[in-house]
């Protein structure tokens, strides 16, 4: 498994001030995100999982739970964001300050909705596995991550391709199990 | 608040708002042009032979919407001349001042016999989608037009009958009313209502809750989607706000005013349908205070044939949804969206047109300008 990383990219953009990243950490958090995606698959949900990491601490985890809630907006990212908000309230932290220094690790490129949500919170960096050709908001369908949008703060950076094959394998498993006639997910590494 | 339409006014279109269909960029963009080489046909009798030769020699790949032959005014008053497209102009053709038949045909067997001197002109690159694009394209060179009648009516603002406009107004009045409630409580003055248009049933009502100590994603559209989920035995959050409603809630008895028919069904499409003109007759507080519970989750294991997400449902919302909300509506398979006023960061017409975004698996129609004045008024103190 190759990890495509560019730390210079982060430092150039003074990202290092806001969030700390190292290759080992990225692999560790992405592996945990994949565990969350497995959990989704086990529960009959589209297997996408994520973590939100603040100062080297996981303050939110999420996996898809659209079927369970009958709410099509319950993507892994939205679930994790709820946990972060809960964490902020419990530990008396200012949400805005926390989100602006939190990294999202997610197995699949955030969709247009989630990318918009992350912009609203000023999350600075997203590390993801495979791209999301159907709904992706970080380059695949739209560039919500970097477009100039009124009231949506600064663009966020993306690092992609981390454990992409594992993320795709899970999605393939899901669509195979769901409906043998369903086409393979149009998701490419 | 817009003047309530009296039942006796039902046949008259005296609304102070009009639904504006929010078109895709493909439908609004100016006609894109390509350079073509054309020539007059010297002898009309040769037309079919020339047409046949040219079609074989230079098929108009990707430009089949263009009529190959065009008639135009001749030199004398009643004279009609014919012109024909020879081929698509190359960059070289387009740059040179003069192109001869020899340059075009070289030593091909058909050397342009029967054609006048070739000239460079322009034609529409793509088939027109709207009547306006058809008109604009035809100025350059005639093109075929497969009119989408529904689209033409939508653009002309002729999609809804007076009776349907009454219903649209009624539901938007509900959204405005609940937005006012939210405003009084220090929230953004944005209200939303989700309706099943077939059964004329209100499924969910809420206002925005993004301000003041609640969740930053509690935008009216997001909450409404969650209330619909709650009405189907799902849902994520509990809301405890006055004016909120979902159809499965135990306190819903007071919210029947849009269904409960009163006086006249004259303008309804079917006699079985209730007249929403009767809406609001018992005042704005007809929506009950209630609490969404997630106890209903037990229902999940049961009926799978029930309503699915927001399939078939319409959203009425005072303000244009943002990118997050707009995509949430795509994921939720909303049927149509009616909104009041545009927002600079809006994603259903302003910053993006998510409802027409190519590549997505669900598209829907969007109408703006519903009770525009009332929605605008919400923003004022
Ligand atoms: Zn998403
Ligand atoms: Zn929104």
């Amino acid at each position: 498994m190759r990890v495509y990383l560019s730390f210079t990219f982060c430092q150039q953009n003074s990202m290092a001030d806001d969030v700390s990243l190292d290759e080992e950490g990225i692999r560790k958090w992405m592996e945990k995100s994949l565990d969350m995606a497995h959990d989704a698959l086990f529960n009959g949900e589209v297997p996408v999982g994520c973590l939100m990491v603040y100062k080297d601490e996981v303050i939110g985890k999420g996996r898809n739970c659209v079927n369970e809630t009958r709410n099509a907006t319950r993507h892994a990212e939205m679930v994790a964001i709820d946990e972060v908000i809960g964490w902020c309230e419990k530990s008396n932290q200012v949400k805005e300050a926390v989100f602006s220094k939190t990294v999202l690790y997610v197995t699949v490129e955030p969709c247009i909705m989630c990318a918009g949500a992350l912009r609203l919170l000023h999350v600075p960096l997203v590390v993801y596995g495979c791209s999301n050709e159907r709904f992706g908001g970080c380059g695949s369908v739209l560039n919500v991550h970097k477009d100039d949008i009124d009231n949506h703060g600064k663009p966020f950076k993306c690092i992609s391709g981390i454990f992409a094959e594992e993320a795709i394998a899970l999605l393939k498993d899901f669509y195979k199990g769901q409906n043998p006639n369903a086409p393979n997910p149009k998701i490419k590494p | 608040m817009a003047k309530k339409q009296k039942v006796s006014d039902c046949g008259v279109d005296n609304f102070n708002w009009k639904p504006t269909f929010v078109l895709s960029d493909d439908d609004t963009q100016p006609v894109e042009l390509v350079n073509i080489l054309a020539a007059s046909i010297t002898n009309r009798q040769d037309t079919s032979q020339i047409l046949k030769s040219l079609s074989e020699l230079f098929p108009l790949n990707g430009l089949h919407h263009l009529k190959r032959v065009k008639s135009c005014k001749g030199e004398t008053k009643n004279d009609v001349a014919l012109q024909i497209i020879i081929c698509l102009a190359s960059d070289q053709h387009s740059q040179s001042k003069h192109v001869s038949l020899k340059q075009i045909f070289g030593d091909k067997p058909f050397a342009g016999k029967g054609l006048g001197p070739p000239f460079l002109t322009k034609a529409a690159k793509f088939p027109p989608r709207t009547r306006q694009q058809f008109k604009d394209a035809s100025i350059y060179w005639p093109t075929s037009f497969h009119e989408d009648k529904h689209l033409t009516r939508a653009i002309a603002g002729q999609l809804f009958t007076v009776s349907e406009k009454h219903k649209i107004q009624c539901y938007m009045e509900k959204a405005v009313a609940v937005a006012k409630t939210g405003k009084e409580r220090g929230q953004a003055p944005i209200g939303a209502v989700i309706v099943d248009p077939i059964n004329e049933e209100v499924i969910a009502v809420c206002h925005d809750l993004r301000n003041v100590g609640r969740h930053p994603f509690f935008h009216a559209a997001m909450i409404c989607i969650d209330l619909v989920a709650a009405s189907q035995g799902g849902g994520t959050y509990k809301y405890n706000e006055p004016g909120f409603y979902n159809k499965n809630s135990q306190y819903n008895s007071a919210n029947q005013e849009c269904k409960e028919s009163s006086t006249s069904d004259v303008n309804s499409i079917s006699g079985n349908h209730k007249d929403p003109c009767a809406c609001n007759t018992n005042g704005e507080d007809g929506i009950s205070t209630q609490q969404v519970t997630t106890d209903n989750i037990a229902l999940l294991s049961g009926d799978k044939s029930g309503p699915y997400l927001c399939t078939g449902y319409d959203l009425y919302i005072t303000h244009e949804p943002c990118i997050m909300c707009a995509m949430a509506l795509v994921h939720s398979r909303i049927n149509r969206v009616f909104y009041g006023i545009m927002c600079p960061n809006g994603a259903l017409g302003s910053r993006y047109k998510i409802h027409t975004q190519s590549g997505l698996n669900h598209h829907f129609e969007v109408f703006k300008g519903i009770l525009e004045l009332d929605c605008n008024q919400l923003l004022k103190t």
Side-chain angles (χ1 to χ4, degrees):
Chain A
M1 177 86 237
R2 269 206 302 159
V3 178
Y4 310 88
L5 282 188
S6 159
F7 294 109
T8 47
F9 163 82
C10 300
Q11 273 143 20
Q12 269 167 8
N13 295 282
S14 70
M15 192 74 80
D17 297 343
D18 293 339
V19 294
S20 66
L21 278 183
D22 61 78
E23 183 165 347
E24 204 188 320
I26 288 181
R27 293 182 67 94
K28 181 176 73 183
W29 301 133
M30 277 308 271
E31 275 173 10
K32 289 208 185 310
S33 300
L34 280 165
D35 290 345
M36 296 298 293
H38 268 288
D39 186 49
L41 184 65
F42 182 76
N43 284 282
E45 303 277 357
V46 177
V48 181
C50 73
L51 296 186
M52 298 197 81
V53 178
Y54 173 68
K55 293 186 175 167
D56 219 33
E57 184 191 342
V58 178
I59 58 170
K61 319 196 281 296
R63 59 134 172 107
N64 239 304
C65 55
V66 166
N67 293 330
E68 182 190 319
T69 58
R70 298 198 173 190
N71 180 335
T73 73
R74 298 309 288 166
H75 289 186
E77 298 92 322
M78 304 300 266
V79 174
I81 286 166
D82 281 0
E83 285 202 9
V84 173
I85 289 171
W87 181 88
C88 290
E89 278 162 7
K90 241 193 299 183
S91 52
N92 247 323
Q93 303 259 7
V94 181
K95 279 179 276 204
E96 291 76 7
V98 170
F99 277 116
S100 67
K101 293 188 176 186
T102 293
V103 181
L104 168 70
Y105 295 85
V106 56
T107 56
V108 181
E109 174 191 354
C111 76
I112 291 166
M113 173 188 74
C114 292
L118 293 162
R119 285 290 298 270
L120 286 172
L121 298 173
H122 303 194
V123 169
L125 176 63
V126 173
V127 180
Y128 66 81
C130 64
S131 60
N132 181 345
E133 297 283 312
R134 292 153 120 188
F135 304 118
C138 306
S140 290
V141 180
L142 283 174
N143 293 313
V144 177
H145 66 306
K146 64 173 187 190
D147 280 350
D148 195 15
I149 315 171
D150 226 63
N151 269 321
H152 279 63
K154 284 188 301 191
F156 60 81
K157 302 281 186 312
C158 292
I159 297 174
S160 62
I162 322 293
F163 291 130
E165 285 158 35
E166 284 79 353
I168 293 167
L170 281 171
L171 290 166
K172 283 189 174 157
D173 269 4
F174 175 79
Y175 287 106
K176 245 188 307 186
Q178 271 276 305
N179 175 2
N181 301 318
N184 281 333
K186 284 190 202 122
I187 290 176
K188 66 169 198 210
Chain B
M1 201 76 191
K3 261 200 152 155
K4 302 269 159 56
Q5 306 288 320
K6 288 196 206 93
V7 172
S8 55
D9 288 338
C10 270
V12 190
D13 188 343
N14 58 355
F15 300 90
N16 64 352
W17 54 273
K18 89 180 196 312
T20 304
F21 188 66
V22 182
L23 289 163
S24 73
D25 287 335
D26 286 346
D27 293 334
T28 51
Q29 71 186 2
V31 173
E32 202 178 321
L33 299 169
V34 284
N35 288 324
I36 53 170
L37 283 169
S40 301
I41 294 172
T42 321
N43 258 318
R44 294 186 69 108
Q45 295 93 312
D46 299 338
T47 306
S48 63
Q49 189 49 50
I50 293 173
L51 187 61
K52 190 162 170 274
S53 303
L54 284 178
S55 303
E56 280 166 15
L57 214 47
F58 299 118
L60 293 179
N61 291 328
L63 294 171
H64 292 297
H65 55 284
L66 295 177
K67 311 247 173 172
R68 192 116 197 182
V69 180
K70 145 191 186 182
S71 63
C72 49
K73 254 183 79 180
E75 279 159 27
T76 58
K77 208 175 169 205
N78 294 321
D79 187 24
V80 178
L82 294 182
Q83 294 179 343
I84 188 162
I85 299 175
I86 301 172
C87 61
L88 199 62
S90 67
D91 288 347
Q92 209 185 345
H93 291 147
S94 304
Q95 275 151 22
S96 56
K97 276 206 179 83
H98 179 79
V99 182
S100 67
L101 287 173
K102 176 84 187 148
Q103 276 169 291
I104 299 170
F105 293 101
D107 34 11
K108 294 196 170 73
F110 175 79
K113 193 164 159 284
L115 292 177
F119 59 90
L120 201 64
T121 185
K122 289 178 192 303
K125 191 170 181 181
F126 301 108
R129 294 165 56 96
T130 65
R131 194 148 271 285
Q132 184 61 48
Q133 285 177 340
F134 174 57
K135 259 171 74 185
D136 295 346
S138 303
I139 293 169
Y140 297 94
W141 194 275
T143 166
S144 58
F145 178 42
H146 301 290
E147 185 170 22
D148 178 339
K149 289 267 163 51
H150 181 81
L151 184 63
T152 301
R153 285 177 57 217
I155 293 169
Q158 293 165 347
L159 216 49
F160 304 111
T161 64
V162 169
S163 153
E164 285 165 332
K165 284 176 83 174
H166 276 296
K167 288 170 200 167
I168 292 168
Q169 172 156 324
C170 162
Y171 295 127
M172 190 57 97
E173 278 171 357
K174 257 185 186 315
V176 170
V178 75
K180 281 181 182 160
T181 309
K183 188 181 181 180
E184 282 157 18
R185 299 168 53 83
Q187 298 292 350
I190 302 170
V193 175
I194 285 180
V195 172
D196 172 356
I198 303 293
N199 299 315
E200 296 186 14
E201 185 178 20
V202 176
I203 308 295
V205 180
C206 69
H207 61 67
D208 215 87
L209 282 178
R210 80 186 73 173
N211 295 345
V212 204
R214 296 299 295 267
H215 196 299
F217 296 164
F218 277 1
H219 294 194
M222 297 296 281
I223 300 170
C224 237
I225 287 169
D226 197 44
L227 287 170
V228 170
S231 82
Q232 295 167 3
T236 303
Y237 306 101
K238 292 181 180 180
Y239 311 94
N240 227 339
E241 314 292 327
F244 280 34
Y245 169 80
N246 89 73
K247 107 172 187 173
N248 199 30
S249 123
Q250 50 191 317
Y251 302 101
N252 67 0
S253 55
N255 193 40
Q256 295 299 309
E257 80 269 36
C258 257
K259 275 222 88 178
E260 223 87 325
S261 174
S262 58
T263 39
S264 165
D265 275 340
V266 173
N267 288 284
S268 291
I269 299 163
S270 138
N272 291 332
H273 287 178
K274 309 300 188 205
D275 181 3
C277 288
C279 173
N280 286 325
T281 46
N282 53 357
E284 300 299 342
D285 52 356
I287 307 159
S288 69
T289 307
Q290 49 80 46
Q291 194 177 352
V292 176
T293 69
T294 43
D295 300 346
N296 298 319
I297 258 168
L299 291 172
L300 265 178
S301 46
D303 181 23
K304 286 253 174 188
S305 63
Y308 173 65
L309 305 174
C310 296
T311 303
Y313 293 168
D314 295 339
L315 170 70
Y316 293 81
I317 185 161
T318 54
H319 295 67
E320 182 183 357
C322 72
I323 182 82
M324 172 183 70
C325 293
M327 192 61 195
L329 293 164
V330 173
H331 286 316
S332 302
R333 309 282 209 281
I334 199 83
N335 182 43
R336 294 180 297 184
V337 173
F338 297 86
Y339 69 84
I341 51 181
M342 300 179 84
C343 300
N345 61 5
L348 297 181
S350 298
R351 182 62 185 82
Y352 301 99
K353 289 167 181 153
I354 291 295
H355 60 296
T356 67
Q357 177 66 45
S358 63
L360 296 182
N361 63 343
H362 178 69
H363 298 105
F364 50 87
E365 293 186 337
V366 174
F367 302 88
K368 65 181 179 185
I370 319 300
L371 287 187
E372 202 170 6
L373 295 173
D374 305 70
C375 294
N376 244 319
Q377 195 61 38
L378 287 168
L379 299 173
K380 297 176 185 139
T381 46

